[in-house]
Amino acid sequence: MGGMAQWSVILPDEQWATERLFQHEVVTVAGGPVAASAGDEVLILAEDHVVALARVEKTDGGDLVLGYQRRAFDSPVPAEGLIADSPVAAVDVEIFQRLAARVAGPADKKNWLVSVAMPIEASNPAEAVRQFWSHVLELGPSELPAYVWPSGDELAMQAFVLGAERNQDPEEEDEDDE
């Protein structure tokens, strides 16, 4: 029996949160199947959705090192027909192909500007920069909004916290409460 096998891997919530924040080329998942081997295809699941298509790069003492092929982080695909009753499971070829086809391929890229801005009191620019990086490390992506907009379209600016869009306008938040 030759050929590649197809698997599904469920990312734990904490690991999924980290994957959404940072652009990694690979993800290591603990407790992979002994039968998985380099070249096998993997549907990566989080919150009952397919969030990426990957390939097994290597198996390392029960850990699977998966190289991302395509990501659907921002438009996850419902894992319809997939029974993921364990963190890692073999997947029927037809179900795998149907779900993998729905994971979007690379979109056309455009230039984005991303900014983190905060008021800092300091005696000189170098001190201000040191304080800035200290605040960035201390607050991190869970508290510090990053602002992103298409290059040349500042009016389209959006705030993101923890990799998800957030409304940063206190007046609009007050209206939502009413």
Side-chain angles (χ1 to χ4, degrees), residues 157-168:
M157 184 183 296
Q158 299 170 297
F160 278 75
V161 178
L162 282 178
E165 190 175 345
R166 289 288 193 273
N167 182 357
Q168 295 292 308

Side-chain angles (χ1 to χ4, degrees), residues 29-33 61-64 87-88:
V29 180
D63 291 345
L64 286 180
V88 179

Side-chain angles (χ1 to χ4, degrees), residues 77-98:
V77 174
E80 297 164 351
L82 192 62
I83 300 166
D85 50 2
S86 65
V88 179
V91 178
D92 175 77
V93 175
E94 287 180 24
I95 292 172
F96 185 95
Q97 289 174 344
R98 180 174 49 80

Side-chain angles (χ1 to χ4, degrees), residues 110-114 147-158:
K110 58 184 176 180
N111 288 326
W112 296 88
L113 295 175
V114 179
Y147 299 92
V148 61
W149 62 95
S151 186
D153 187 5
E154 288 78 16
L155 295 177
M157 184 183 296
Q158 299 170 297

Side-chain angles (χ1 to χ4, degrees), residues 7-127:
W7 305 93
S8 66
V9 170
I10 299 172
L11 287 183
D13 291 346
E14 191 173 301
Q15 189 174 13
W16 168 231
T18 300
E19 287 303 304
R20 288 184 62 205
L21 280 177
F22 302 102
Q23 181 88 11
H24 298 292
E25 295 305 311
V26 299
V27 59
T28 301
V29 180
V34 176
S37 57
D40 286 357
E41 297 174 305
V42 179
L43 295 172
I44 298 178
L45 306 176
E47 300 171 348
D48 297 323
H49 284 73
V50 178
V51 297
L53 179 63
R55 189 171 311 280
V56 176
E57 298 287 327
K58 64 179 180 178
T59 55
D60 187 12
D63 291 345
L64 286 180
V65 179
L66 307 174
Y68 285 108
Q69 303 293 308
R70 295 195 307 252
R71 301 168 206 257
F73 287 10
D74 304 314
S75 54
V77 174
E80 297 164 351
L82 192 62
I83 300 166
D85 50 2
S86 65
V88 179
V91 178
D92 175 77
V93 175
E94 287 180 24
I95 292 172
F96 185 95
Q97 289 174 344
R98 180 174 49 80
L99 292 172
R102 293 183 60 202
V103 175
D108 291 338
K109 295 195 177 206
K110 58 184 176 180
N111 288 326
W112 296 88
L113 295 175
V114 179
S115 171
V116 174
M118 65 182 85
I120 293 178
E121 288 186 29
S123 58
N124 61 53
E127 180 187 349

